[in-house]
Amino acid sequence: AQSVTQLDSQVPVFEEAPVELRCNYSSSVSVYLFWYVQYPNQGLQLLLKYLSGSTLVKGINGFEAEFNKSQTSFHLRKPSVHISDTAEYFCAVLSGTYKYIFGTGTRLKVLA
Amino acid sequence: EAGVTQFPSHSVIEKGQTVTLRCDPISGHDNLYWYRRVMGKEIKFLLHFVKESKQDESGMPNNRFLAERTGGTYSTLKVQPAELEDSGVYFCASSQAGTGGRDYTFGSGTRLTVV
């Protein structure tokens, strides 16, 4: 069965510092991987997705992620965070053709 | 283009009462999905509609939950009777025919609190 592990439940980081949110997956088949963000009191918004092609995926708001098949990882990075990036971030893998398996989420807290 | 709309945004009900959540997908999207996040846990799949048909309801927790999608447009998720463990955020999503999970749009969710 497929699964997603987000290793950090909370990540505090100072404004303008870089951040990496970790995600590992388990899958025996081809993977489609996603990062979603949930800002306070809002819904889930797609940050970026890996379907095929280049392993470095660029998303919205300056975020990027790298698909690493050998490490079974899809870590999310941003070189310089802003206060407005404070949110909860979810990694997900597509199971089959339509069902997502989500990780437990990582709360990013950007400190002034 | 309007997004996926869910209402109410919040609902507080007493244990044993009934609550109905509604989801309006993006117009023309055949696929509609329900997910739920219980506090502190992962977001979990509940079920998938293709038009008005239930394609997969393997994630529905028990028979207190009933989902419908009459006419293949909006969907409702009814919880009857509600229990404390039903508290959480219920998300709806939709996608076009043929894109499946590669191109979801999520709604903003309904936060359900059972007291």
Side-chain angles (χ1 to χ4, degrees):
Chain A
Q2 291 174 304
S3 67
V4 173
T5 302
Q6 291 185 247
L7 298 167
D8 305 299
S9 59
Q10 294 188 69
V11 173
V13 62
F14 285 104
E15 194 173 18
E16 297 183 9
V19 71
E20 178 180 82
L21 306 184
R22 297 180 291 171
C23 172
N24 286 88
Y25 66 91
S26 68
S27 174
S28 58
V29 297
S30 298
V31 289
Y32 295 151
L33 293 157
F34 305 78
W35 275 100
Y36 280 86
V37 60
Q38 185 179 22
Y39 298 104
N41 300 315
Q42 295 188 31
L44 291 169
Q45 181 180 2
L46 180 67
L47 268 181
L48 48 81
K49 58 186 174 184
Y50 172 78
L51 302 181
S52 64
S54 173
T55 56
L56 183 62
V57 181
K58 293 192 183 295
I60 62 172
N61 301 339
F63 284 92
E64 64 181 31
E66 185 155 20
F67 171 58
N68 188 320
K69 188 174 182 179
S70 62
Q71 304 273 340
T72 61
S73 67
F74 191 55
H75 300 333
L76 181 71
R77 300 185 184 100
K78 185 169 183 178
S80 175
V81 294
H82 304 289
I83 296 286
S84 59
D85 292 323
T86 294
E88 190 158 20
Y89 293 79
F90 296 92
C91 182
V93 64
L94 188 61
S95 175
T97 59
Y98 58 82
K99 184 190 301 186
Y100 282 179
I101 307 295
F102 282 92
T104 50
T106 298
R107 289 186 179 275
L108 175 64
K109 174 74 172 173
V110 181
L111 309 168
Chain B
E1 174 183 78
V4 176
T5 305
Q6 292 186 246
F7 48 92
S9 56
H10 294 83
S11 180
V12 180
I13 61 170
E14 292 184 352
K15 178 182 170 181
Q17 289 187 320
T18 296
V19 63
T20 300
L21 314 181
R22 173 168 168 151
C23 170
D24 287 56
I26 291 174
S27 179
H29 280 195
D30 287 345
N31 294 298
L32 186 148
Y33 317 85
W34 284 97
Y35 284 78
R36 175 175 79 165
R37 189 187 191 201
V38 173
M39 185 172 330
K41 304 251 177 114
E42 68 270 32
I43 302 167
K44 283 194 171 179
F45 171 84
L46 294 179
L47 85 160
H48 169 210
F49 283 99
V50 177
K51 298 185 180 178
E52 66 274 9
S53 299
K54 291 177 187 173
Q55 199 71 14
D56 179 355
E57 51 183 330
S58 61
M60 295 288 264
N62 52 60
N63 59 11
R64 295 185 293 103
F65 289 76
L66 175 64
E68 294 179 322
R69 192 182 181 194
T70 307
T73 54
Y74 71 90
S75 174
T76 57
L77 180 64
K78 181 190 286 188
V79 185
Q80 179 182 29
E83 298 289 345
L84 299 178
E85 64 264 24
D86 301 331
S87 296
V89 181
Y90 291 76
F91 292 102
C92 175
S94 70
S95 68
Q96 289 182 317
T99 62
R102 291 169 292 160
D103 199 15
Y104 268 34
T105 300
F106 277 92
S108 54
T110 294
R111 182 173 297 276
L112 175 64
T113 303
V114 183
V115 297

